[in-house]
């Protein structure tokens, strides 16, 4: 693997795993990944909030870092059911997934809300993973760049160059999530290259070269190698295949 950017492979467990199941999964991952060096790849697990505490206790080796799946844009206050960045930081959370398509679709998150969350995450020293991606009808209508471009302009608004350089973008075509359909290598590379060109326009060349752009959508051990070898693909955001030790560790191993 010969890229300037270190790969970032993150498991988005979504609403799966109790605290004890999550801890067991991480212990299994350590055993399977014992042979890989920490320097080769950044690995992150993103359990549900209720499993963060137990999982953080078993994350004894920085080879695997902790992420959350969402957070509030507010720091504290009367927001029943919400969780603030500072509360996540206390458990050692280093990354947070923001604006996942499921949150955009089911919880009506807008680009504006996502940008406020990203700013709040940076203020708490948590690195955002900002998700973007088009629907099937939008791809078929030739609107991918228009849709992804609008999402990025809105969701990254207000970030400084320094903050952007520490932000990850996850390109997840909605039609590829949980469907078993993966974007072709050409589709992934084309959209990732478009995203990087847009980062040059919105920030600058140095920032665009530093930002990691993950691909997400039915990533499996069998397709990880091809996807991760693409010039503008810098990691994966893995859903279903991150719920099993063997699948997730094989994705990591096949990507190195
Ligand atoms: P799958 O890997 O299950 O397709 O999910 C992708 C995803 O949504 C990760 O955030």
């Amino acid at each position: 693997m010969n890229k300037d950017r270190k790969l970032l492979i993150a498991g988005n467990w979504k609403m799966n795993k109790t605290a004890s199941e999550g801890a067991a999964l991480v212990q299994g991952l350590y055993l399977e990944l014992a042979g890989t060096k920490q320097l080769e790849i950044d690995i992150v697990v993103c359990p549900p909030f209720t499993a963060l505490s137990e999982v953080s206790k078993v994350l004894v080796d920085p080879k695997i870092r902790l992420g959350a799946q969402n957070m509030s844009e507010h720091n504290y206050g009367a927001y029943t059911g919400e969780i603030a960045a500072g509360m996540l930081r206390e458990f050692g959370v280093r990354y947070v997934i923001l604006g996942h398509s499921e949150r955009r679709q089911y919880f009506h998150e807008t680009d504006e809300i996502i940008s406020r969350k990203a700013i709040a995450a940076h203020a708490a020293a948590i690195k955002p993973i900002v998700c973007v991606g088009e629907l099937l009808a939008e791809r078929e209508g030739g609107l991918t760049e228009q849709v992804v471009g609008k999402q990025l302009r809105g969701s990254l608004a207000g970030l400084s160059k320094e903050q952007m350089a520490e932000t990850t973008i996850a390109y997840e075509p909605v039609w590829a999530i949980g469907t078993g359909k993966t974007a072709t290598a050409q589709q992934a590379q084309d959209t990732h290259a478009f995203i990087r060109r847009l980062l040059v326009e919105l920030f600058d060349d140095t920032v665009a070269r530093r930002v990691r752009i993950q691909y997400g959508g039915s990533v499996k051990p069998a397709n990880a190698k091809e996807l991760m070898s693409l010039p503008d693909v810098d990691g994966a955001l893995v859903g279903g295949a991150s719920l099993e030790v063997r699948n997730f560790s094989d994705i990591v191993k096949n990507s190195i």
Side-chain angles (χ1 to χ4, degrees), residues 39-62:
L39 290 176
E40 290 176 300
I41 207 157
D42 285 333
I43 305 168
V44 177
V45 288
C46 304
F49 292 129
T50 47
L52 287 174
S53 174
E54 285 305 308
V55 168
S56 74
K57 286 180 201 158
V58 296
L59 284 179
V60 287
D61 179 335

Side-chain angles (χ1 to χ4, degrees), residues 41 43 48 58 74 88 94 99 108 119 131 194 212 253:
I41 207 157
I43 305 168
V58 296
H74 304 289
L88 297 176
R94 307 287 183 113
H108 314 296
I119 292 166
C131 303
F194 161 74
R212 292 188 284 194
K253 287 179 194 169

Side-chain angles (χ1 to χ4, degrees), residues 73-147:
E73 65 194 271
H74 304 289
N75 292 330
Y76 59 89
Y79 300 101
T80 302
E82 289 291 276
I83 293 181
M87 298 169 182
L88 297 176
R89 197 72 184 91
E90 200 179 11
F91 289 113
V93 167
R94 307 287 183 113
Y95 294 86
V96 63
I97 300 169
L98 296 179
H100 190 279
S101 63
E102 288 149 18
R103 296 219 54 90
R104 291 176 184 264
Q105 186 183 347
Y106 306 134
F107 304 99
H108 314 296
E109 286 195 16
T110 62
D111 295 326
E112 205 175 36
I113 293 172
I114 296 159
S115 103
R116 288 201 291 268
K117 289 185 178 192
I119 292 166
H122 279 296
I126 296 176
K127 295 176 183 171
I129 298 175
V130 174
C131 303
V132 295
E134 81 287 359
L135 304 170
L136 183 59
E138 292 165 341
R139 170 155 290 267
E140 288 175 347
L143 298 172
T144 300
E145 293 191 359
Q146 197 175 315
V147 170

Side-chain angles (χ1 to χ4, degrees), residues 10-14 97 100-102 131 170 172-174 176-181 215-220 236-243 251:
N12 174 9
W13 296 0
K14 307 193 179 183
I97 300 169
H100 190 279
S101 63
E102 288 149 18
C131 303
E172 299 203 309
V174 179
I177 294 177
T179 58
K181 282 188 202 157
Y215 170 79
S218 299
V219 176
K220 304 271 183 289
L237 187 54
V238 185
S242 71
L243 298 174
I251 288 173

